[in-house]
Amino acid sequence: MKNTDLLLKAFLLLLLVLALQPGAARAQEDFEPEEMTAFMLQVPHGVEGSGLAVGGSNLSAYVFFESYYNGNMNVTLELDLPEGFIPQDASVHSFSLQTEYEDWYRLVDIYIPQNLPSGTYNITATAVIDVDGSKHAIVRRTHFRVASKEEITNEITISGLMIPSDEDGYGDPSHPSNTLIIRETSPALKKLLKITDLKIDREEFTSTFMGVEVTNKGDSTVPVVVTYNILDIKTGEPVKAFKPTIMGMNSDTFCYAALTLPPGSSSLVSLPLYISDNAMGGDYLLRVEVKLTGSDWVAVTRDQKITAVSRKWGPIMITFASTLLGLTAVSLFFSRSKEIMDRFKTRNLVLISLFGTVSFAAINLPMTILWELSHAIFGPFSFLFTGLFYEILLYMLIASLVVLIPKPGVVSLFMMVRFLLGGFITGSFTPITFITLSLSAVVLEVMMYVAGITGKSPDPENRFKVGMVCGIADMIGGYVSFSVWMVLYRLFYSNWYIMANILIDGFLYTFIGAWFGISLGNRLKKVAE
């Protein structure tokens, strides 16, 4: 009986083996290594196709293997290097992948000897896959070119250099080319900015960017590293003020870009440019260098003379003097307000308030919308449009008001009404508005009094005289306004832009407005009479 049971069990076991064996064999036959795996070889890392290197460099070959097979897979991978190449790591690796989408990768460091002959070399990676005892082999080959320094120098060029640039590396037309702007960081100004609620944010430590365009004229893919130095133009030594230590790290850590240049292509990259507090203005030499990845040898160098614009004391002094003048004028007005106001009749004050309100309604309110719109359409030339409101219409009202009331103090009261309406309705109680309006009022008042337009024997209907006085006064006010903006908001304006604003907006438009304003004032005077 026992023998019968044993025979029965053996028979069932045999049937089970016979039933399973065809499935296993079929699974082995159905395994397609190219479809059920991903096998990649890049030499050097990141280069697909033919790579390039120079003798004496260290490279990293990237080997990647991934399984799409839902089962155990044993892999033996061997990297076959050309004669002369020196692997810094093991060239044979064995590993097991247990599940679907499991992967394995390595960076295999390779040294290219200095005296290795130039030419194209083949690198082969072979993966032997063992699935349930069945072995499959997959081979990957890539070409690798070793070139001489002369060949590489002729193939790679720095084809473009834009400084300053935006974050994408394109030139910044709002700043002069080859010029760095050193931001104002004096302790006195910091205190002033704190009072006016304007802060120097350390995130603005990055002063600007530079755009570097690199071109590969060869027929191999080239991995490169782009970096730069700012040198003393006399000694050739690096200036640390332009590469300061940031968060305990040397800024070289941030001032580089890695590129992979396909054959016959160009790439544009931007590099951050940092300026420390102790940077000085003057001329410097910008040196941009391109190195091949894995080598410290500089393949391409391009020098560019640049200028660092340091702190301008002129705008600072103008801002300080204008602020002092504005505060003095306001203090004088409040200390002698009764005496000043008694010089005007009630109807004069009503008329001044009316003109101030009209100027606010006809100029300030529309320009809150048109200002942004004109900048979007006309860009830096938007002042040609906004000047129609801010200069022609404004000085038409001022000149006509002076014709009606040719007394000292009229312009100041008119400006005060505009300042108060703007502050209470649009919230424009800003230091810049106070400084520019108070200075414009004082300058225009003084010049009108000295020119005889207002005073004891007023001559407010002389078109040429009024136009000249208003034009010159507005030119002064315009220049002061630019200075205040540059100091308090640390902005930069090109000289041509300032000159165009002052001459066209400040003088021409103002002269036209004053000219027509006298006609308007004469007509209003006839109506009043």
Side-chain angles (χ1 to χ4, degrees):
M1 190 65 182
K2 290 183 178 178
N3 292 334
T4 303
D5 291 341
L6 289 174
L7 288 173
L8 181 59
K9 290 180 180 178
F11 178 73
L12 292 175
L13 181 61
L14 179 60
L15 289 178
L16 181 61
V17 170
L18 291 175
L20 294 177
Q21 189 173 16
R26 190 164 51 251
Q28 294 175 6
E29 292 175 357
D30 292 344
F31 184 83
E32 297 292 339
E34 292 290 349
E35 297 179 359
M36 306 190 75
T37 61
F39 186 22
M40 182 188 301
L41 172 64
Q42 293 179 346
V43 184
H45 181 210
V47 175
E48 295 182 1
S50 178
L52 178 70
V54 66
S57 59
N58 287 290
L59 302 175
S60 292
Y62 177 67
V63 186
F64 174 83
F65 193 96
E66 184 175 13
S67 170
Y68 301 144
Y69 178 67
N70 190 16
N72 185 47
M73 178 186 295
N74 297 314
V75 182
T76 301
L77 191 147
E78 182 176 5
L79 188 63
D80 184 18
L81 299 175
E83 184 178 357
F85 283 39
I86 303 175
Q88 305 295 303
D89 305 298
S91 58
V92 179
H93 300 269
S94 297
F95 53 91
S96 296
L97 303 180
Q98 307 297 327
T99 61
E100 191 176 7
Y101 300 116
E102 188 176 359
D103 58 33
W104 176 96
Y105 64 89
R106 285 289 185 278
L107 288 173
V108 181
D109 292 337
I110 304 171
Y111 176 70
I112 310 298
Q114 185 74 39
N115 56 354
L116 193 72
S118 300
T120 302
Y121 297 84
N122 295 324
I123 297 177
T124 305
T126 304
V128 178
I129 308 167
D130 186 350
V131 178
D132 296 330
S134 179
K135 295 186 178 181
H136 309 267
I138 306 177
V139 178
R140 293 288 182 270
R141 290 189 179 89
T142 187
H143 302 292
F144 185 77
R145 179 178 164 221
V146 176
S148 65
K149 293 181 178 179
E150 291 75 14
E151 291 173 324
I152 295 175
T153 302
N154 292 331
E155 293 179 2
I156 302 174
T157 59
I158 298 176
S159 50
L161 182 60
M162 283 72 70
I163 179 170
S165 74
D166 57 18
E167 295 183 13
D168 296 322
Y170 295 99
D172 185 357
S174 64
H175 289 69
S177 60
N178 301 320
T179 302
L180 304 178
I181 308 299
I182 300 176
R183 296 180 184 277
E184 176 57 57
T185 55
S186 68
L189 184 60
K190 286 180 180 177
K191 292 180 181 178
L192 178 61
L193 293 176
K194 188 176 181 180
I195 294 173
T196 58
D197 199 28
L198 301 173
K199 300 176 181 177
I200 295 179
D201 194 342
R202 297 310 297 172
E203 291 180 358
E204 299 177 4
F205 198 57
T206 305
S207 173
T208 185
F209 294 86
M210 71 173 74
V212 183
E213 185 180 52
V214 186
T215 299
N216 174 19
K217 298 183 291 185
D219 54 3
S220 301
T221 302
V222 185
V224 298
V225 175
V226 185
T227 185
Y228 72 90
N229 266 308
I230 295 182
L231 311 175
D232 187 301
I233 202 166
K234 295 180 179 178
T235 64
E237 294 295 324
V239 181
K240 294 182 179 179
F242 294 102
K243 274 197 170 181
T245 300
I246 303 172
M247 295 181 292
M249 294 182 286
N250 191 301
S251 61
D252 282 339
T253 308
F254 311 99
C255 301
Y256 77 95
L259 285 175
T260 300
L261 296 169
S265 68
S266 297
S267 291
L268 178 65
V269 295
S270 68
L271 296 173
L273 204 155
Y274 302 92
I275 301 177
S276 65
D277 294 349
N278 57 350
M280 303 293 292
D283 293 333
Y284 296 91
L285 188 66
L286 170 66
R287 176 163 294 170
V288 179
E289 297 178 338
V290 178
K291 300 177 181 178
L292 265 65
T293 302
S295 173
D296 197 40
W297 170 66
V298 179
V300 184
T301 300
R302 177 164 171 173
D303 291 343
Q304 178 68 51
K305 180 183 175 183
I306 60 173
T307 301
V309 180
S310 62
R311 176 184 309 160
K312 291 184 177 180
W313 285 104
I316 295 175
M317 298 303 296
I318 290 173
T319 302
F320 178 75
S322 302
T323 305
L324 190 62
L325 183 63
L327 292 173
T328 304
V330 171
S331 302
L332 184 64
F333 174 80
F334 282 108
S335 63
R336 298 186 179 182
S337 58
K338 188 175 184 308
E339 181 181 345
I340 295 173
M341 299 300 285
D342 287 345
R343 297 176 59 190
F344 295 94
K345 298 178 181 178
T346 304
R347 64 179 182 180
N348 294 150
L349 297 176
V350 171
L351 192 59
I352 293 171
S353 301
L354 178 62
F355 269 69
T357 305
V358 170
S359 70
F360 175 76
I363 300 173
N364 292 49
L365 289 181
M367 286 310 298
T368 54
I369 301 174
L370 296 177
W371 180 272
E372 299 295 339
L373 185 63
S374 65
H375 275 71
I377 298 175
F378 301 109
F381 300 101
S382 60
F383 68 89
L384 298 174
F385 171 75
T386 57
L388 300 176
F389 291 85
Y390 274 107
E391 307 300 335
I392 294 181
L393 189 54
L394 175 63
Y395 277 91
M396 277 185 66
L397 294 173
I398 292 177
S400 61
L401 181 61
V402 172
V403 170
L404 295 172
I405 311 173
K407 294 181 179 180
V410 171
V411 175
S412 299
L413 292 175
F414 173 83
M415 294 289 189
M416 185 179 296
V417 172
R418 288 191 66 212
F419 177 70
L420 293 175
L421 286 175
F424 284 116
I425 296 178
T426 63
S428 59
F429 277 134
T430 65
I432 291 180
T433 307
F434 169 76
I435 295 172
T436 53
L437 282 182
S438 59
L439 179 114
S440 297
V442 171
V443 172
L444 196 54
E445 288 281 9
V446 172
M447 291 188 66
M448 280 190 171
Y449 185 81
V450 172
I453 298 172
T454 59
K456 294 182 180 179
S457 301
D459 183 19
E461 299 181 11
N462 188 324
R463 297 176 187 271
F464 182 77
K465 185 190 293 184
V466 174
M468 290 296 293
V469 166
C470 290
I472 294 173
D474 199 75
M475 288 173 66
I476 297 173
Y479 185 75
V480 170
S481 177
F482 276 112
S483 300
V484 173
W485 278 94
M486 285 189 289
V487 172
L488 296 186
Y489 284 94
R490 290 164 291 138
L491 298 179
F492 172 81
Y493 297 98
S494 297
N495 291 332
W496 72 266
Y497 184 75
I498 296 175
M499 289 299 297
N501 265 273
I502 290 176
L503 292 177
I504 298 176
D505 249 21
F507 185 80
L508 180 61
Y509 282 2
T510 301
F511 188 91
I512 294 172
W515 187 280
F516 288 108
I518 293 175
S519 299
L520 177 63
N522 288 328
R523 292 182 181 180
L524 292 174
K525 185 188 290 183
K526 291 179 181 177
V527 173
E529 292 173 353

